[in-house]
Structures are given as C-alpha cells and as structure tokens.
Amino acid sequence: KTIEFTGALHATVVKQVCLKNPSSKALMYNAILVGRDADDFSLPKGNTVTIAPKRQTSINVEFTSRFLRPAEAVLLLISKHVGGIHGVTLTFSLKSEVKHIEP
C-alpha cells in the first residue's frame, strides 16, 4: 500500500494508517521508517503500537517537505512476540509531492 503526502513546501502533512487486529489476543508492533528520505517522516506518538484483541487503531505518520523533489521512504511494522501470538510484518510505501510554494 502506498500513502501519499501532498502539500506545500516546508508544510507538515499528517496521514493516518489504520491497523486492525482480527485475533483474540493483543498484537504489538515496532514501527521503523527506512529509506532515502526516512528523516523527513516521523511517528509523533512513538515507535511502539499495540492493538487490542478484535479492535483497530490508527497511527499518525508526519511528513515535512524540505525539497521540491519527491521524497520516498518505507514504514515497516514488525511484530513483537506477545502472549504466544506473532503478527505478520506490514510495509507501507510513503511518497510525497510538493504541489505549491508559499512565500
């Protein structure tokens, strides 16, 4: 899945990623940003995500553009072993586009 961040140069854009847990046990993930422009993206609520059984949660991903060229990174969610259950590793492609420049 690709998440696109579109906005003005130097603006901060926030996107939410919705995660669902269909199992009867809690899932825990470590979130990691990797790639050429990973430093331009951030996870304001921290790198650990816990999803309660049969629930969903969302995590915020922020992007602040520093350059006119498109930025790219990957959000990796790596499952932690909790209570005998192991979730799958999730990956999201993060891409940006600067639409305009404000003085």
Side-chain angles (χ1 to χ4, degrees), residues 20-96:
K20 295 180 182 180
N21 179 3
S23 76
S24 59
K25 299 196 178 190
L27 287 175
M28 238 178 150
Y29 285 96
N30 274 337
I32 302 167
L33 294 163
V34 295
R36 178 186 75 188
D37 301 307
D39 290 344
D40 295 331
F41 294 88
S42 65
L43 302 164
K45 294 184 180 175
N47 291 10
T48 303
V49 181
T50 303
I51 312 168
K54 305 283 185 190
R55 296 288 176 130
Q56 65 182 26
T57 191
S58 55
I59 59 171
N60 289 343
V61 181
E62 286 185 0
F63 168 74
T64 303
S65 61
R66 297 184 301 149
F67 306 105
L68 288 173
R69 68 167 171 76
E72 295 182 6
V74 175
L75 170 63
L76 283 174
L77 293 161
I78 301 170
S79 175
K80 287 183 169 182
H81 190 71
V82 178
I85 191 164
H86 217 38
V88 297
T89 298
L90 304 171
T91 61
F92 297 91
S93 175
L94 309 176
K95 295 186 181 209
S96 76

